[in-house]
Amino acid sequence: MAAGGSASRRAQEARRQERLLREQWQAAKEQARRWEAASEGEQRVAAHLLMLAERGWRLLVDRKWPGTRAANVDMLLVGPGGVFVIDVKNWRAVPEVVGGRLHAGGEPRDEHAAKLLAVTRATEGAVAALGMSPVAVQPLMVFAGRRLEGELGRIRLLGEREVGPRLMAERPRLPAASVRAIADHLERHFPEYEEPADTQAPPPRPKGDASDGLEASDSLFDIDGLREAALEEARQGPIEQWMTFLHPDQLALVRRNWRGPARISGPTGTGKTVVGLHRAAYLAQRTTGRILYVTFAKNLPRVQATFLATMSPAVADRVDFRSLHSWAQEFLQDCDMPARLHGGKAETAFSLAWKDVGRDSCLAEVDPAPRYWREEVDYVIKGRGITSFDDYARLSRRRRRASLRRRHRETMWALYETYEAIRVERGVHDFNDVLSLALTQARRADRSPYAAVIVDEVQDLTLVGIRLLHTLVGDAPNGLLLIGDGQQAVYPGGFRTSEAGIDIRGDRGQVLQTNYRNSKQILDTALAVVANDSFEDIDGLYTSGRRRVDLTYHDGQVIRVSKPTTAEHDQALLNALYELPSPARADSAVLCPSIKAIGHYQRLLTQAGVPVCLLEHYDGRRVDAVKLGSYRRVKGLEFKRVYLPQHDAFLSGAAEVNGLEQSETERERHEIARSQLFVAMTRARDVLWLGSVER
């Protein structure tokens, strides 16, 4: 090849692309001129937007606003990036955002922003019939003859030349079929503002429009059919798809106006977290305050923040995703009252207290393991804010199976007080102290930093944690939303919302019933693990372990592998992972019940050349590596393929231990372990791989 040949070809291709773009620009300008009702500024902006038609977008110009006598909508644009409501301005003065308000020429122009937001809400209502989430509808104010990029709340402010490139840079949300159907739907919902004269032919669609070459019947569609097709695409496709389409039941919860604290519950896979994320974006679009989205797990907030930034970037900086304890620590620091948190020293303090008070006491008759009694401190006494023995003596210890007589409780209280004395003497706090201190400060605060609080996986929090979050917003309308499912509780102890002073009544308690994640084979396998474990939810209702769930997916697969040795079992796991094509690793996870097991399989996979990403480092961005983490760490996530090596190791002693009947505390531990395994199994969408070692 001659020197410079490659550069010459690139130059020729660049010139060809330039000529093509010039031809498209001239055609777009000519078509824009045919809309005689549009101003010169609107025509120029329309010409820029018509260039997008070559890439699968549809532009509707000068539409009537339904329900009004004479108001119009400048432009509606539908394309791979979503639905955009566009208001074109041709102002002589330079637009500015001053103090969160729109100005031009020194004069306020708030009425223009208010009208655009009202039209946007009308558009959201129109596309809701198709199952489209409000976050996929975005308002744009475009200024003819200006160079501009800015924001006014949820409204994006763009100049004439910026609008095309910015829209082209949007991440794809909608496939071509959905673009066509949604545009046709909006065309009927927002009719032409003025019917063209009989002598005036309607302007032709530009060459390359997504609807070119279609028969008339192809543009007609059944709303229910499109909605179901869109949901199927969302289930099969990447995350951007479920960011756009929701089931009508889910969408109704996203847009609902609640007069006080609310709760969304339901079995695994019913989209509770998805609804929570859409709700956060929806509230952020409609308030000026900040939104707190909190969970117990440390890794989940990073993943959720990534999802929301992709879903609704315009409001992502106003939603704080935090784990409860990290938020409480920062809150105390802002109040000039930093906590002296030191988990290691607090653990040492309890070990000394157990040695002095508990080890040779009647508590050891119930359970000789100090871990059980440390949990009693964390989840029952301090987790519920108990400060006197009389309160502890009368307490119903929710989700704790062991019956404690008065002498046991007296000894337990002595153990607790000894622990507290040693901890205070050493000048350290534990995690429960952080929440209690934050609750005290929140009750003293004059105002809350948040307009709304959304709590995901609420069943894993303590009563003190729930009281803290409730204090931030009280019973304000749309203030507090609790999301979770008691069957997926993976920690001991428990509470009822009524004990936190939270009154959820009437339609403010909603239950989702349709599983969109798991196939029947996978869900049946998981439910078999917890079938005999009834549970009490935070509303105080008891529910059977094998509960009713409506399914939408039936094509999954459960693979069981049993080997005589651990080495053969692990090789079978490696073989299964080797068979995955490289892109499939990004949507696969190996999950383990303990830190020790995670370490073992991290070494095994790394030495075998299988790329690994620990869940504690995963932030929701796609990475070509198998995810690896614990059953607890995977809460709130899902993967197409889930591998559970030696998944049944703990079940071997479920009925008896060394031929003896299990104690109450052992049954409790196994029940929690089954809940954790159930959570891990139900993270699988398409394939659940269950490994066993014959014993």
Side-chain angles (χ1 to χ4, degrees), residues 391-646:
D391 289 340
Y392 179 59
R394 295 189 298 266
L395 182 68
S396 175
R397 300 162 60 251
R398 305 196 188 284
R399 293 212 304 254
R400 303 238 84 181
R401 286 189 172 275
S403 300
L404 299 185
R405 298 179 180 178
R406 186 173 181 86
R407 66 188 182 95
H408 296 125
R409 297 200 185 208
E410 289 174 344
T411 306
M412 182 64 230
W413 193 257
L415 173 62
Y416 158 69
E417 289 188 322
T418 303
Y419 162 65
E420 286 291 278
I422 298 173
R423 180 189 61 76
V424 171
E425 179 184 353
R426 297 187 171 216
V428 297
H429 293 125
D430 61 23
F431 285 103
N432 287 288
D433 296 321
V434 172
L435 300 186
S436 296
L437 291 169
L439 175 58
T440 300
Q441 290 301 311
R443 286 171 171 169
R444 293 174 179 171
D446 295 331
R447 53 178 297 187
S448 171
Y450 294 102
V453 174
I454 298 175
V455 188
D456 203 356
E457 304 291 353
V458 63
Q459 72 279 354
D460 289 335
L461 272 59
T462 62
L463 182 59
V464 170
I466 290 299
R467 285 173 176 162
L468 167 61
L469 296 171
H470 182 216
T471 300
L472 294 179
V473 289
D475 295 331
N478 300 313
L480 180 66
L481 176 61
L482 307 179
I483 300 173
D485 171 34
Q487 190 171 36
Q488 298 179 66
V490 296
Y491 296 96
F495 62 89
R496 291 178 179 174
T497 51
S498 59
E499 295 172 313
I502 301 174
D503 184 14
I504 297 176
R505 61 178 63 183
D507 68 351
R508 288 190 277 121
Q510 294 288 322
V511 182
L512 296 172
Q513 293 285 2
T514 303
N515 183 306
Y516 300 99
R517 178 197 303 145
N518 309 120
S519 71
K520 185 178 188 302
Q521 299 92 324
I522 291 174
L523 187 59
D524 284 348
T525 301
L527 285 172
V529 173
V530 295
N532 297 322
D533 297 331
S534 61
F535 64 94
E536 180 186 8
D537 216 333
I538 62 174
D539 56 8
L541 296 178
Y542 282 88
T543 304
S544 168
R546 186 176 285 279
R547 57 212 291 205
R548 183 183 70 83
V549 183
D550 298 328
L551 296 173
T552 62
Y553 179 42
H554 301 274
D555 297 329
Q557 182 182 16
V558 176
I559 300 174
R560 295 183 181 272
V561 175
S562 180
K563 297 294 181 180
T565 67
T566 300
E568 291 174 283
H569 165 279
D570 290 352
Q571 186 59 52
L573 173 64
L574 290 176
N575 292 341
L577 296 175
Y578 286 147
E579 293 174 359
L580 291 177
S582 179
R585 293 171 180 162
D587 212 357
S588 302
V590 175
L591 305 178
C592 306
S594 66
I595 295 176
K596 180 180 179 181
I598 292 172
H600 169 73
Y601 285 104
Q602 183 179 12
R603 290 188 296 272
L604 179 72
L605 269 59
T606 301
Q607 292 170 2
V610 178
V612 171
C613 173
L614 292 175
L615 284 180
E616 61 186 278
H617 301 150
Y618 176 54
D619 65 359
R621 294 180 175 86
R622 191 171 182 84
V623 57
D624 183 17
V626 173
K627 310 307 179 297
L628 175 65
S630 69
Y631 294 173
R632 291 178 176 178
R633 187 81 72 177
V634 78
K635 297 199 74 173
L637 303 177
E638 65 178 68
F639 300 92
K640 289 184 178 179
R641 291 160 293 275
V642 168
Y643 302 82
L644 303 182
Q646 301 190 60

Side-chain angles (χ1 to χ4, degrees), residues 245-305:
F245 291 99
L246 299 175
H247 188 275
D249 292 345
Q250 297 172 318
L251 187 56
L253 298 182
V254 170
R255 305 175 68 199
R256 180 160 296 192
N257 181 34
W258 279 302
R259 296 183 179 275
R263 186 193 174 205
I264 298 174
S265 61
T268 182
T270 52
K272 298 181 294 296
T273 294
V274 173
V275 171
L277 290 173
H278 282 263
R279 177 70 174 178
Y282 181 82
L283 292 177
Q285 290 173 348
R286 285 156 177 77
T287 66
T288 57
R290 301 194 66 78
I291 312 297
L292 176 63
Y293 196 110
V294 65
T295 67
F296 183 82
K298 294 186 294 184
N299 64 308
L300 193 53
R302 289 196 304 271
V303 177
Q304 292 167 331

Side-chain angles (χ1 to χ4, degrees), residues 325-344:
H325 288 98
S326 69
W327 177 85
Q329 285 180 264
E330 186 174 302
F331 175 71
L332 288 173
Q333 192 166 356
D334 292 341
C335 295
D336 295 323
M337 190 179 171
R340 300 182 301 276
L341 180 64
H342 197 298

